[in-house]
Coordinates of all heavy atoms in Angstrom, one line a residue:
M25 N -7.3 8.1 65.8 CA -8.7 8.3 65.9 C -9.5 7.1 65.4 O -8.9 6.3 64.6 CB -9.1 9.5 65.0 CG -8.9 10.8 65.8 SD -8.0 12.0 64.9 CE -6.7 11.3 64.1
Y26 N -10.7 7.0 65.7 CA -11.5 5.9 65.3 C -12.8 6.3 64.7 O -13.4 7.3 65.0 CB -11.9 5.0 66.6 CG -10.6 4.6 67.3 CD1 -10.1 5.4 68.3 CD2 -10.0 3.4 67.0 CE1 -8.9 5.0 69.0 CE2 -8.9 2.9 67.7 CZ -8.4 3.7 68.7 OH -7.2 3.3 69.3
R27 N -13.2 5.5 63.7 CA -14.5 5.8 63.1 C -15.2 4.4 63.0 O -14.7 3.5 62.4 CB -14.3 6.3 61.7 CG -15.6 6.6 60.9 CD -15.3 7.3 59.6 NE -16.4 7.3 58.7 CZ -17.5 8.0 58.9 NH1 -17.7 8.9 59.9 NH2 -18.5 8.0 58.0
S28 N -16.4 4.4 63.7 CA -17.2 3.1 63.6 C -18.3 3.4 62.6 O -18.9 4.4 62.5 CB -17.8 2.9 65.0 OG -16.8 2.7 66.0
V29 N -18.5 2.4 61.7 CA -19.5 2.5 60.6 C -20.6 1.4 60.8 O -20.2 0.2 61.0 CB -18.8 2.3 59.2 CG1 -19.8 2.4 58.1 CG2 -17.7 3.4 59.0
S30 N -21.8 1.8 60.9 CA -22.9 1.0 61.2 C -23.2 -0.1 60.1 O -23.7 -1.1 60.4 CB -24.2 1.7 61.5 OG -24.7 2.3 60.3
G31 N -22.9 0.2 58.9 CA -23.2 -0.7 57.8 C -24.5 -0.5 57.2 O -24.9 -1.1 56.2
V32 N -25.3 0.5 57.7 CA -26.6 0.8 57.2 C -26.4 1.4 55.8 O -25.6 2.2 55.6 CB -27.4 1.9 58.1 CG1 -28.6 2.3 57.3 CG2 -27.7 1.3 59.4
G33 N -27.1 0.8 54.8 CA -26.9 1.2 53.4 C -25.9 0.5 52.7 O -25.6 0.8 51.5
I34 N -25.1 -0.3 53.3 CA -24.0 -1.1 52.7 C -24.6 -2.5 52.4 O -24.8 -3.2 53.4 CB -22.8 -1.1 53.5 CG1 -22.2 0.3 53.8 CG2 -21.7 -2.0 52.8 CD1 -21.1 0.4 54.7
E35 N -24.8 -2.9 51.2 CA -25.4 -4.2 50.9 C -24.5 -5.3 51.2 O -25.0 -6.3 51.8 CB -25.7 -4.2 49.4 CG -26.9 -3.4 49.0 CD -27.2 -3.6 47.5 OE1 -27.1 -4.7 47.0 OE2 -27.7 -2.6 46.9
D36 N -23.2 -5.3 51.0 CA -22.3 -6.4 51.2 C -21.1 -5.9 52.0 O -20.2 -5.3 51.5 CB -21.9 -7.0 49.9 CG -21.1 -8.2 50.1 OD1 -20.5 -8.5 51.2 OD2 -21.0 -9.0 49.1
I37 N -21.2 -6.1 53.3 CA -20.1 -5.5 54.2 C -18.8 -6.1 53.9 O -17.7 -5.4 53.8 CB -20.5 -5.7 55.7 CG1 -21.7 -4.8 56.0 CG2 -19.3 -5.4 56.6 CD1 -22.3 -5.0 57.4
D38 N -18.7 -7.4 53.6 CA -17.4 -8.1 53.2 C -16.9 -7.4 52.0 O -15.6 -7.1 51.9 CB -17.6 -9.6 53.1 CG -17.8 -10.3 54.4 OD1 -17.4 -9.8 55.4 OD2 -18.5 -11.3 54.4
A39 N -17.7 -7.2 51.0 CA -17.2 -6.5 49.7 C -16.7 -5.1 50.0 O -15.7 -4.7 49.4 CB -18.3 -6.6 48.7
F40 N -17.4 -4.4 50.9 CA -17.1 -3.1 51.2 C -15.7 -3.1 51.9 O -14.8 -2.3 51.5 CB -18.1 -2.5 52.2 CG -17.7 -1.1 52.7 CD1 -18.1 0.0 51.9 CD2 -17.1 -0.9 53.8 CE1 -17.7 1.3 52.3 CE2 -16.7 0.4 54.3 CZ -17.1 1.5 53.5
I41 N -15.4 -4.0 52.8 CA -14.1 -4.1 53.5 C -13.1 -4.5 52.5 O -12.0 -3.9 52.4 CB -14.2 -5.0 54.7 CG1 -15.1 -4.4 55.8 CG2 -12.8 -5.3 55.2 CD1 -15.4 -5.4 56.9
D42 N -13.4 -5.4 51.6 CA -12.4 -5.9 50.5 C -12.1 -4.7 49.6 O -11.0 -4.8 48.9 CB -13.0 -7.1 49.8 CG -13.0 -8.3 50.6 OD1 -12.4 -8.3 51.7 OD2 -13.7 -9.3 50.2
S43 N -12.9 -3.7 49.4 CA -12.6 -2.6 48.5 C -11.5 -1.7 49.1 O -11.0 -0.8 48.4 CB -13.9 -1.8 48.3 OG -14.2 -1.0 49.4
H44 N -11.1 -1.9 50.3 CA -10.0 -1.2 50.9 C -8.7 -2.0 50.8 O -8.5 -3.0 51.5 CB -10.3 -0.9 52.4 CG -11.5 0.0 52.6 ND1 -12.8 -0.4 52.4 CD2 -11.5 1.3 52.9 CE1 -13.6 0.6 52.7 NE2 -12.9 1.7 53.0
V45 N -7.9 -1.6 49.9 CA -6.7 -2.4 49.5 C -5.5 -1.7 50.1 O -5.3 -0.5 49.8 CB -6.6 -2.6 48.0 CG1 -5.3 -3.3 47.6 CG2 -7.8 -3.3 47.4
V46 N -4.6 -2.4 50.8 CA -3.4 -1.9 51.4 C -2.6 -1.2 50.3 O -2.4 -1.8 49.2 CB -2.6 -3.0 52.1 CG1 -1.3 -2.4 52.6 CG2 -3.5 -3.5 53.3
E47 N -2.0 0.0 50.6 CA -1.2 0.8 49.7 C -2.0 1.5 48.6 O -1.4 2.1 47.7 CB 0.0 0.0 49.2 CG 0.9 -0.5 50.2 CD 1.6 0.6 51.0 OE1 1.9 1.6 50.5 OE2 1.7 0.4 52.3
R48 N -3.3 1.4 48.7 CA -4.1 2.1 47.7 C -4.8 3.3 48.4 O -5.0 3.3 49.7 CB -5.2 1.3 47.1 CG -4.7 0.2 46.2 CD -5.3 0.2 44.9 NE -4.8 -0.7 44.0 CZ -5.4 -1.7 43.4 NH1 -6.7 -1.7 43.5 NH2 -4.8 -2.5 42.5
K49 N -5.1 4.3 47.7 CA -5.8 5.6 48.2 C -7.3 5.4 48.2 O -7.8 4.7 47.3 CB -5.3 6.8 47.4 CG -3.9 7.0 47.5 CD -3.5 8.2 46.6 CE -2.0 8.4 46.6 NZ -1.6 9.4 45.6
K50 N -7.9 6.1 49.2 CA -9.4 6.1 49.2 C -9.8 7.5 49.5 O -9.3 8.2 50.4 CB -9.8 5.2 50.4 CG -11.3 5.1 50.6 CD -11.9 4.0 49.8 CE -13.3 3.7 50.2 NZ -14.0 2.9 49.3
M51 N -10.7 8.1 48.7 CA -11.2 9.4 48.9 C -12.6 9.4 49.4 O -13.4 8.5 48.9 CB -11.2 10.2 47.5 CG -11.6 11.7 47.8 SD -11.7 12.6 46.2 CE -13.1 11.9 45.5
F52 N -12.9 10.3 50.3 CA -14.3 10.4 50.8 C -14.9 11.7 50.3 O -14.5 12.7 50.7 CB -14.3 10.3 52.4 CG -13.9 9.0 52.9 CD1 -12.6 8.6 53.0 CD2 -14.9 8.1 53.3 CE1 -12.3 7.3 53.5 CE2 -14.6 6.9 53.8 CZ -13.3 6.5 53.9
P53 N -15.8 11.6 49.4 CA -16.3 12.9 48.8 C -17.2 13.8 49.7 O -17.3 15.0 49.5 CB -17.2 12.4 47.6 CG -17.5 10.9 47.9 CD -16.4 10.5 48.8
S54 N -17.7 13.2 50.8 CA -18.5 14.0 51.8 C -17.6 14.2 53.0 O -16.5 13.7 53.2 CB -19.7 13.3 52.1 OG -19.4 12.0 52.7
Y55 N -18.1 15.1 53.8 CA -17.4 15.4 55.1 C -17.5 14.1 55.9 O -18.5 13.4 55.9 CB -18.1 16.5 55.9 CG -18.0 17.8 55.3 CD1 -19.0 18.5 54.6 CD2 -16.8 18.5 55.4 CE1 -18.9 19.7 54.1 CE2 -16.6 19.8 54.9 CZ -17.7 20.4 54.2 OH -17.6 21.6 53.7
I56 N -16.5 13.7 56.6 CA -16.5 12.6 57.5 C -15.9 13.1 58.9 O -15.2 14.0 59.0 CB -15.8 11.4 57.0 CG1 -14.3 11.6 56.9 CG2 -16.4 10.9 55.7 CD1 -13.5 10.3 56.7
S57 N -16.3 12.3 59.9 CA -15.7 12.6 61.2 C -15.3 11.3 61.9 O -15.6 10.2 61.4 CB -16.8 13.3 62.1 OG -17.8 12.4 62.3
S58 N -14.4 11.5 62.9 CA -13.9 10.3 63.6 C -13.9 10.7 65.1 O -14.0 11.9 65.5 CB -12.6 9.9 63.2 OG -11.6 10.9 63.4
S59 N -13.9 9.7 65.9 CA -13.9 9.9 67.4 C -12.5 9.7 67.9 O -11.7 9.0 67.3 CB -14.8 8.9 68.0 OG -14.8 9.0 69.4
L60 N -12.2 10.3 69.0 CA -10.9 10.1 69.7 C -10.8 8.7 70.4 O -9.7 8.3 70.7 CB -10.6 11.2 70.6 CG -10.4 12.6 70.0 CD1 -10.2 13.7 71.0 CD2 -9.3 12.6 69.0
G61 N -11.9 8.1 70.5 CA -12.0 6.7 71.1 C -12.9 5.9 70.2 O -13.6 6.4 69.3
I62 N -13.0 4.6 70.5 CA -13.9 3.7 69.7 C -15.4 4.2 70.0 O -15.8 4.3 71.2 CB -13.7 2.3 70.1 CG1 -12.3 1.9 69.6 CG2 -14.8 1.4 69.4 CD1 -11.9 0.4 70.1
Y63 N -16.1 4.5 69.0 CA -17.5 5.0 69.1 C -18.4 3.9 69.5 O -19.2 4.0 70.4 CB -17.9 5.7 67.8 CG -19.3 6.2 67.9 CD1 -19.7 7.3 68.6 CD2 -20.3 5.5 67.2 CE1 -20.9 7.8 68.7 CE2 -21.7 6.0 67.3 CZ -21.9 7.1 68.0 OH -23.2 7.5 68.1
D64 N -18.3 2.8 68.7 CA -19.2 1.6 69.0 C -18.5 0.4 68.5 O -18.5 0.1 67.3 CB -20.6 1.8 68.4 CG -21.6 0.7 68.8 OD1 -21.1 -0.4 69.2 OD2 -22.8 1.0 68.8
E65 N -17.9 -0.4 69.3 CA -17.2 -1.6 68.9 C -18.0 -2.7 68.3 O -17.5 -3.6 67.7 CB -16.3 -2.1 70.0 CG -17.1 -2.6 71.2 CD -16.3 -3.0 72.4 OE1 -15.2 -2.4 72.6 OE2 -16.7 -3.9 73.1
N66 N -19.4 -2.6 68.4 CA -20.3 -3.5 67.9 C -20.6 -3.3 66.4 O -21.2 -4.1 65.7 CB -21.5 -3.6 68.7 CG -21.3 -4.1 70.1 OD1 -20.6 -5.1 70.3 ND2 -21.8 -3.4 71.1
F67 N -20.3 -2.1 65.9 CA -20.5 -1.8 64.5 C -19.6 -2.7 63.6 O -18.5 -3.0 64.0 CB -20.2 -0.3 64.2 CG -21.3 0.6 64.6 CD1 -22.4 0.2 65.3 CD2 -21.3 2.0 64.2 CE1 -23.4 1.1 65.7 CE2 -22.2 2.9 64.6 CZ -23.3 2.4 65.3
P68 N -20.1 -3.1 62.4 CA -19.4 -4.1 61.7 C -18.2 -3.6 60.9 O -17.4 -4.4 60.4 CB -20.5 -4.6 60.6 CG -21.4 -3.4 60.5 CD -21.4 -2.7 61.9
I69 N -18.0 -2.3 60.9 CA -16.8 -1.8 60.2 C -16.1 -0.7 61.1 O -16.8 0.1 61.7 CB -17.2 -1.1 58.9 CG1 -17.9 -2.0 58.0 CG2 -16.0 -0.5 58.2 CD1 -18.7 -1.4 56.8
Q70 N -14.8 -0.9 61.3 CA -14.1 0.0 62.2 C -12.9 0.6 61.3 O -12.2 -0.1 60.7 CB -13.5 -0.7 63.4 CG -14.6 -1.3 64.2 CD -15.5 -0.3 65.0 OE1 -15.0 0.7 65.4 NE2 -16.7 -0.7 65.2
Y71 N -12.8 1.9 61.4 CA -11.6 2.6 60.8 C -10.7 3.1 62.0 O -11.2 3.5 63.0 CB -12.0 3.8 60.0 CG -12.6 3.6 58.7 CD1 -14.0 3.9 58.5 CD2 -11.8 3.1 57.6 CE1 -14.5 3.7 57.2 CE2 -12.4 3.0 56.4 CZ -13.7 3.2 56.2 OH -14.3 3.0 55.0
V72 N -9.4 2.9 61.8 CA -8.4 3.6 62.7 C -7.6 4.6 61.8 O -7.0 4.1 60.8 CB -7.4 2.5 63.3 CG1 -6.4 3.2 64.2 CG2 -8.2 1.5 64.1
I73 N -7.7 5.8 62.1 CA -7.3 6.9 61.2 C -6.1 7.7 61.9 O -6.2 8.1 63.0 CB -8.4 7.8 60.9 CG1 -9.6 7.1 60.2 CG2 -7.9 9.0 59.9 CD1 -10.8 7.9 60.1
K74 N -5.0 7.8 61.1 CA -4.0 8.8 61.5 C -4.3 10.0 60.7 O -4.2 10.1 59.5 CB -2.6 8.2 61.1 CG -1.5 9.1 61.5 CD -0.1 8.5 61.2 CE 1.0 9.4 61.6 NZ 2.3 8.8 61.3
S75 N -4.5 11.1 61.4 CA -4.9 12.4 60.8 C -3.7 13.3 60.7 O -2.8 13.3 61.4 CB -5.9 13.1 61.7 OG -6.2 14.4 61.3
R76 N -3.7 14.1 59.5 CA -2.7 15.1 59.3 C -3.4 16.5 59.3 O -2.8 17.5 59.6 CB -2.0 14.9 58.0 CG -1.1 13.7 58.0 CD -0.4 13.5 56.7 NE 0.4 12.3 56.7 CZ 1.7 12.2 56.9 NH1 2.3 13.3 57.2 NH2 2.3 11.1 56.8
H77 N -4.6 16.5 58.7 CA -5.3 17.8 58.5 C -6.7 17.9 59.2 O -7.3 19.0 59.1 CB -5.5 18.1 57.0 CG -4.2 17.9 56.2 ND1 -3.1 18.8 56.3 CD2 -3.8 16.9 55.4 CE1 -2.2 18.3 55.5 NE2 -2.6 17.2 54.9
G78 N -7.1 16.8 59.8 CA -8.5 16.8 60.4 C -8.5 17.9 61.5 O -7.5 18.2 62.1
K79 N -9.7 18.5 61.8 CA -9.8 19.5 62.8 C -10.5 19.0 64.0 O -11.6 18.4 63.9 CB -10.6 20.7 62.2 CG -9.9 21.3 61.0 CD -8.6 21.9 61.3 CE -7.9 22.4 60.1 NZ -6.5 22.6 60.2
N80 N -9.9 19.2 65.2 CA -10.5 18.8 66.4 C -11.5 19.8 66.8 O -11.2 21.0 66.9 CB -9.4 18.7 67.5 CG -9.8 18.1 68.8 OD1 -11.0 18.1 69.1 ND2 -8.9 17.6 69.5
V81 N -12.8 19.4 67.0 CA -13.9 20.4 67.3 C -13.9 20.7 68.8 O -14.8 21.4 69.2 CB -15.2 19.8 66.8 CG1 -15.2 19.7 65.3 CG2 -15.6 18.6 67.5
K82 N -13.0 20.1 69.6 CA -13.0 20.4 71.0 C -12.9 21.9 71.3 O -13.4 22.4 72.3 CB -11.9 19.6 71.7 CG -11.9 19.7 73.2 CD -10.8 18.9 73.8 CE -10.8 18.9 75.3 NZ -9.8 18.1 75.9
C83 N -12.2 22.6 70.4 CA -12.1 24.1 70.6 C -13.4 24.8 70.6 O -13.5 25.9 71.1 CB -11.1 24.7 69.7 SG -11.5 24.6 67.9
Y84 N -14.4 24.2 70.0 CA -15.8 24.8 69.9 C -16.7 24.3 71.0 O -17.6 24.9 71.3 CB -16.4 24.5 68.5 CG -15.5 25.0 67.4 CD1 -14.8 24.1 66.6 CD2 -15.4 26.4 67.1 CE1 -14.0 24.6 65.5 CE2 -14.6 26.9 66.1 CZ -13.9 26.0 65.3 OH -13.1 26.4 64.3
N85 N -16.4 23.0 71.4 CA -17.3 22.4 72.4 C -16.4 21.4 73.2 O -16.0 20.4 72.7 CB -18.5 21.7 71.7 CG -19.4 21.1 72.7 OD1 -19.1 20.8 73.9 ND2 -20.6 20.8 72.3
Q86 N -16.2 21.7 74.5 CA -15.3 20.9 75.3 C -15.8 19.5 75.4 O -15.0 18.6 75.8 CB -15.1 21.5 76.7 CG -14.4 22.9 76.6 CD -12.9 22.7 76.1 OE1 -12.3 21.8 76.6 NE2 -12.5 23.5 75.2
L87 N -17.1 19.2 75.3 CA -17.6 17.9 75.4 C -17.4 17.0 74.2 O -17.4 15.8 74.3 CB -19.1 17.9 75.7 CG -19.5 18.7 77.0 CD1 -21.0 18.8 77.1 CD2 -18.9 18.0 78.2
E88 N -17.1 17.6 73.1 CA -16.9 16.8 71.8 C -15.5 16.2 71.8 O -14.6 16.8 72.1 CB -17.1 17.7 70.6 CG -18.6 18.2 70.4 CD -19.5 17.0 70.0 OE1 -19.0 16.0 69.5 OE2 -20.7 17.1 70.3
K89 N -15.5 15.0 71.4 CA -14.2 14.3 71.2 C -14.2 13.8 69.7 O -14.2 12.6 69.5 CB -14.1 13.1 72.2 CG -14.0 13.6 73.6 CD -13.9 12.5 74.6 CE -13.9 13.2 75.9 NZ -14.0 12.2 77.0
E90 N -14.2 14.8 68.8 CA -14.5 14.4 67.4 C -13.5 15.2 66.5 O -13.2 16.3 66.8 CB -15.9 14.8 67.0 CG -16.3 14.5 65.7 CD -17.8 14.8 65.4 OE1 -18.4 15.6 66.2 OE2 -18.3 14.2 64.5
I91 N -13.0 14.5 65.5 CA -12.2 15.1 64.4 C -13.0 15.2 63.1 O -13.6 14.2 62.8 CB -10.9 14.3 64.2 CG1 -10.1 14.1 65.5 CG2 -10.0 14.9 63.1 CD1 -9.6 15.4 66.2
L92 N -13.0 16.3 62.5 CA -13.7 16.5 61.2 C -12.7 16.6 60.1 O -11.7 17.2 60.2 CB -14.6 17.8 61.3 CG -15.7 17.8 62.3 CD1 -16.4 19.2 62.2 CD2 -16.7 16.7 62.0
F93 N -13.1 15.9 59.0 CA -12.3 15.9 57.8 C -13.1 16.6 56.7 O -14.3 16.4 56.5 CB -11.9 14.5 57.3 CG -11.1 13.8 58.4 CD1 -11.7 12.9 59.3 CD2 -9.7 13.9 58.4 CE1 -10.9 12.3 60.2 CE2 -9.0 13.2 59.3 CZ -9.5 12.4 60.2
K94 N -12.4 17.4 55.9 CA -13.0 18.1 54.8 C -13.5 17.2 53.7 O -13.1 16.0 53.6 CB -11.9 19.0 54.1 CG -11.5 20.2 54.9 CD -10.5 21.0 54.1 CE -10.0 22.2 54.9 NZ -9.0 22.9 54.1
R95 N -14.4 17.7 52.8 CA -14.8 16.9 51.7 C -13.6 16.5 50.8 O -12.7 17.3 50.8 CB -15.8 17.8 50.8 CG -17.1 17.9 51.4 CD -18.0 18.7 50.5 NE -19.3 18.9 51.0 CZ -20.2 19.7 50.6 NH1 -19.9 20.5 49.6 NH2 -21.4 19.8 51.1
N96 N -13.7 15.4 50.2 CA -12.6 14.9 49.3 C -11.3 14.7 50.0 O -10.3 14.7 49.4 CB -12.5 15.9 48.1 CG -13.7 16.1 47.3 OD1 -14.4 15.1 47.0 ND2 -14.1 17.3 47.0
S97 N -11.4 14.4 51.3 CA -10.2 14.0 52.0 C -9.7 12.7 51.5 O -10.4 11.8 51.1 CB -10.4 13.9 53.5 OG -10.6 15.1 54.1
M98 N -8.3 12.6 51.3 CA -7.7 11.4 50.8 C -7.0 10.7 51.9 O -6.3 11.3 52.7 CB -6.8 11.8 49.6 CG -6.1 10.7 48.9 SD -7.3 9.9 47.8 CE -7.5 11.1 46.5
F99 N -7.1 9.3 51.8 CA -6.4 8.5 52.8 C -5.7 7.4 52.1 O -6.1 6.9 51.1 CB -7.5 7.9 53.8 CG -8.2 8.9 54.5 CD1 -9.4 9.5 54.0 CD2 -7.7 9.3 55.8 CE1 -10.1 10.5 54.8 CE2 -8.5 10.3 56.5 CZ -9.6 10.8 56.0
L100 N -4.6 6.9 52.7 CA -3.8 5.8 52.2 C -4.2 4.6 53.1 O -4.0 4.7 54.4 CB -2.3 6.0 52.3 CG -1.4 4.9 51.8 CD1 -1.6 4.6 50.3 CD2 0.0 5.2 52.1
I101 N -4.7 3.5 52.6 CA -4.9 2.3 53.4 C -3.6 1.7 53.8 O -2.8 1.4 52.9 CB -5.8 1.3 52.6 CG1 -7.1 2.0 52.0 CG2 -6.2 0.1 53.4 CD1 -8.0 2.7 53.0
T102 N -3.4 1.5 55.1 CA -2.1 0.9 55.5 C -2.2 -0.5 56.0 O -1.2 -1.2 56.1 CB -1.5 1.8 56.6 OG1 -2.4 2.0 57.7 CG2 -1.2 3.2 56.0
K103 N -3.4 -0.9 56.4 CA -3.6 -2.2 57.0 C -5.1 -2.6 57.0 O -5.9 -1.7 57.3 CB -3.0 -2.3 58.4 CG -3.1 -3.6 59.1 CD -2.5 -3.5 60.5 CE -2.6 -4.8 61.3 NZ -2.1 -4.7 62.6
V104 N -5.4 -3.8 56.8 CA -6.8 -4.3 56.9 C -6.7 -5.7 57.6 O -6.0 -6.5 57.2 CB -7.5 -4.5 55.5 CG1 -8.9 -5.1 55.7 CG2 -7.5 -3.2 54.7
Q105 N -7.4 -5.7 58.7 CA -7.4 -7.0 59.5 C -8.8 -7.2 60.0 O -9.4 -6.4 60.8 CB -6.5 -6.9 60.7 CG -6.3 -8.1 61.5 CD -5.2 -8.0 62.5 OE1 -4.8 -6.9 62.9 NE2 -4.8 -9.1 63.0
G106 N -9.5 -8.2 59.5 CA -10.9 -8.5 59.9 C -11.7 -7.4 59.4 O -11.7 -7.0 58.3
N107 N -12.5 -6.8 60.4 CA -13.4 -5.7 60.0 C -12.8 -4.3 60.3 O -13.5 -3.3 60.3 CB -14.7 -5.8 60.7 CG -14.6 -5.6 62.2 OD1 -13.6 -5.8 62.8 ND2 -15.7 -5.1 62.8
T108 N -11.5 -4.3 60.6 CA -10.8 -3.1 61.0 C -9.9 -2.6 59.9 O -9.1 -3.4 59.3 CB -10.0 -3.2 62.3 OG1 -10.9 -3.7 63.3 CG2 -9.4 -1.9 62.7
I109 N -10.0 -1.3 59.5 CA -9.2 -0.8 58.4 C -8.4 0.4 58.9 O -9.0 1.3 59.5 CB -10.2 -0.2 57.3 CG1 -11.1 -1.4 56.7 CG2 -9.4 0.4 56.2 CD1 -12.3 -1.0 56.0
W110 N -7.1 0.3 58.8 CA -6.2 1.4 59.2 C -5.9 2.2 58.0 O -5.6 1.7 56.9 CB -4.9 0.8 59.7 CG -5.0 0.3 61.1 CD1 -4.6 0.9 62.3 CD2 -5.4 -1.0 61.5 NE1 -4.8 0.1 63.4 CE2 -5.3 -1.2 62.9 CE3 -5.9 -2.2 60.8 CZ2 -5.7 -2.3 63.6 CZ3 -6.3 -3.3 61.5 CH2 -6.2 -3.4 62.9
M111 N -5.9 3.6 58.2 CA -5.6 4.5 57.1 C -5.0 5.7 57.6 O -5.2 6.1 58.8 CB -6.8 4.7 56.2 CG -8.0 5.3 56.8 SD -9.3 5.2 55.7 CE -10.5 6.2 56.5
E112 N -4.2 6.4 56.7 CA -3.5 7.6 57.0 C -3.9 8.7 56.1 O -3.9 8.5 54.9 CB -2.0 7.4 56.9 CG -1.2 8.6 57.3 CD 0.3 8.2 57.3 OE1 0.7 7.1 57.6 OE2 1.1 9.2 57.1
E113 N -4.3 9.9 56.7 CA -4.8 11.0 55.8 C -3.5 11.5 55.0 O -2.4 11.6 55.6 CB -5.3 12.1 56.7 CG -5.9 13.2 55.9 CD -6.4 14.3 56.8 OE1 -6.1 14.4 58.0 OE2 -7.1 15.2 56.3
I114 N -3.7 11.7 53.8 CA -2.6 12.3 52.9 C -3.0 13.6 52.3 O -4.1 14.0 52.3 CB -2.1 11.3 51.9 CG1 -3.3 10.8 51.0 CG2 -1.4 10.1 52.5 CD1 -2.9 9.8 49.9

């Protein structure tokens, strides 16, 4: 799954990306969602997510290609390359 982040509200995008350290965990306190394809490749931050518990909303709406994650979902950062961050839900 993919999550494109616009960078709106992020003062320093490079510092934000650098805060994602390989083999460290990252928790998202709010609900987050991801797309089954790249949402917008022009956004300055891209996540590639391996989901374990995320819920596919396609069962509610056939047009949606979105995975929802609960509040406080935890992810392990597995790779960072340029503006792309790979992580696995744990």
Side-chain angles (χ1 to χ4, degrees):
M25 277 134 319
Y26 302 89
R27 178 171 167 76
S28 301
V29 180
S30 70
V32 172
I34 300 173
E35 287 185 35
D36 186 338
I37 290 174
D38 291 331
F40 178 85
I41 292 171
D42 290 344
S43 74
H44 294 75
V45 178
V46 174
E47 298 299 322
R48 292 231 176 128
K49 296 175 185 175
K50 180 93 171 163
M51 185 183 73
F52 290 82
S54 60
Y55 292 103
I56 65 166
S57 66
S58 64
S59 176
L60 295 176
I62 296 174
Y63 178 74
D64 189 334
E65 63 187 32
N66 294 314
F67 281 7
I69 302 163
Q70 302 291 327
Y71 286 109
V72 180
I73 303 170
K74 182 177 180 182
S75 172
R76 292 182 184 260
H77 309 290
K79 301 298 178 197
N80 190 334
V81 299
K82 187 176 182 178
C83 62
Y84 303 107
N85 181 340
Q86 293 295 314
L87 299 176
E88 291 293 334
K89 295 178 181 169
E90 183 176 21
I91 304 297
L92 294 177
F93 297 95
K94 292 180 180 182
R95 287 181 177 166
N96 300 317
S97 288
M98 186 73 71
F99 299 88
L100 178 67
I101 308 302
T102 58
K103 180 179 177 183
V104 178
Q105 185 174 17
N107 71 330
T108 304
I109 301 160
W110 284 262
M111 57 190 188
E112 182 175 331
E113 185 181 16
I114 51 176

